[in-house]
Amino acid sequence: MKLNITCIPGDGIGPEIVAEAKKVLDHVALQFGHEIVYTDILMGGASIDVHGVPLTDEAIETAKNADAVLMGSIGGDTTTSPWYKLAPELRPEAGLLKIRKALNLFANLRPAVLYDELAAACPLKEEISKAGFDLLIMRELTGGLYFGERKTVTENGVRKAVDTLTYNEEEIRRIAIKGFDIARKRKKKVTSVDKANVLDSSRLWRAVTEEVAKDYPDVTLEHMLVDNCAMQLVKDPAQFDVILTENMFGDILSDEASMVTGSIGMLASASLNDTKFGLYEPSHGSAPDIAGKNIANPIATILSAAMMLRYSFDLDREADAVEAAVKQVLKEGYRTIDIMSEGCTQVSCSEMGSLLAERIG
Ligand code: NAD
């Protein structure tokens, strides 16, 4: 198979971790008989330095012509970098918002996995963490409260602010279909999270999710109120497979789920549109404090590349091989500095990439 991938190395540790993800992908291609064509584009600070804007229209066109986009991370030190003296629409993060919009990326996927070998980093009590967990938050990314009409007015001398939370059934249906499709590739369970006891938008969410579920008799659907879900994530995360939810609830729950794994350098993410196209990136930022030192953990980016193989290319065997290599390397005791613990062997970013690549096949 020919894989046409646009890469965004970005800023900070971005170029280092993307290089390692490419190393692993190249090994996958070699072992499984695929051909990969990479095209790099600039985004964030790297683009500002060259073009004066965080993302050019030409770069967007290149991304649109690819099958998928693999990104490192963008942005610099927000207090010292000159990029943050620019107008908000010219700062690095504006590039990210622009590409998400241009590519219609409405579904955000954030897996949270607790690896046995890293269980000590999990902030939950051992009696909970020992069950392990492997869940995925599917968050609606382009609707709801963050995109509704908003205003601040003064009425009779009193300031009043209004934000509106709107969803139509099509927006709900397309993300629900994604959620059920992805559950089919996992443990076949969807927990739809809402606040249907209070909000009309949640009642519609629940109704449409139930309609979609009828086409997926092999997938179990359950509903959960968002406040309960926030509790269950720390009480019994092992119960979840796919958590399907709207924009703001997903924003909060996905950060909570990441924290319970305890390892920021291990967390992958993907943003998808209604085709197989997706943008894959680690959940963490550009870590300017450690950039250029070859000590960053490349695993989140490498696991994002595995998601790309699974969701954009339907190469499940290849994705399994990458994920198995991660488990194997952790089991053998290799660690980058951020996940280092006593008795393990500390390796650099590039060494970690090589160790993973060697274990694929
Ligand atoms: P950050 O995630 O970059 O770093 C937080 C801490 O985690 C730092 O101490 C960093 O060294 C460490 N860390 C992060 N990733 C690591 C890795 N792979 N290996 C080892 N350690 C790692 O968050 P921040 O410092 O708040 O943000 C830095 C910049 O990144 C900012 O400009 C921010 O806007 C940007 N950012 C970009 C994205 C994105 O591109 N999607 C996401 C979040 C933050």
Side-chain angles (χ1 to χ4, degrees), residues 104-250:
N104 193 24
L105 303 171
F106 64 84
N108 182 243
L109 280 65
R110 292 259 299 261
V113 182
L114 184 64
Y115 294 92
D116 289 348
E117 292 76 14
L118 302 182
C122 174
L124 303 179
K125 279 188 190 157
E126 202 193 329
E127 65 205 62
I128 299 170
S129 66
K130 73 171 186 246
F133 55 86
D134 178 354
L135 60 91
L136 183 147
I137 303 215
M138 162 83 73
R139 165 188 170 194
E140 203 289 327
L141 205 56
T142 57
L145 201 57
Y146 297 172
F147 290 86
E149 273 177 46
R150 69 187 88 251
K151 63 178 177 183
T152 304
V153 291
T154 303
E155 286 174 359
N156 302 325
V158 178
R159 283 177 297 160
K160 184 171 101 175
V162 183
D163 295 287
T164 39
L165 199 181
T166 311
Y167 271 109
N168 69 42
E169 60 179 309
E170 280 153 17
E171 290 171 304
I172 301 169
R173 188 166 292 109
R174 65 181 186 176
I175 183 97
I177 289 171
K178 280 273 176 215
F180 280 90
D181 280 345
I182 279 166
R184 261 193 179 152
K185 282 183 177 265
R186 296 174 46 96
K187 291 173 276 172
K188 299 189 173 55
K189 180 178 171 192
V190 171
T191 305
S192 175
V193 173
D194 59 39
K195 189 71 183 167
N197 52 342
V198 180
L199 301 175
D200 263 18
S201 56
S202 281
R203 285 190 272 272
L204 182 63
W205 183 278
R206 204 174 266 218
V208 174
T209 308
E210 280 179 7
E211 287 161 23
V212 171
K214 292 196 181 110
D215 293 331
Y216 296 83
D218 52 325
V219 178
T220 306
L221 169 67
E222 66 172 15
H223 300 285
M224 192 178 278
L225 295 175
V226 62
D227 38 354
N228 185 24
C229 184
M231 289 194 288
Q232 294 299 327
L233 274 171
V234 289
K235 195 171 157 229
D236 179 17
Q239 70 183 285
F240 295 111
D241 179 20
V242 174
I243 294 178
L244 170 69
T245 192
E246 61 96 60
N247 203 343
M248 184 179 63
F249 297 160

Side-chain angles (χ1 to χ4, degrees), residues 7-21:
C7 287
I8 306 176
D11 307 315
I13 59 170
E16 300 165 52
I17 54 184
V18 167
E20 298 316 308

Side-chain angles (χ1 to χ4, degrees), residues 13 17 43 71-78 83-84 92-93 96 100 264-266 281-290 295-301 336-338:
I13 59 170
I17 54 184
M43 193 168 108
M71 183 176 134
S73 191
I74 50 120
D77 185 319
T78 48
W83 299 328
Y84 295 92
E93 287 69 16
L96 195 53
R100 280 186 183 150
I264 192 174
M266 303 288 298
E281 57 172 323
S283 293
H284 58 74
S286 60
D289 52 336
I290 57 165
I295 58 169
N297 186 348
I299 295 181
T301 316
T336 43
I337 192 167
D338 56 309

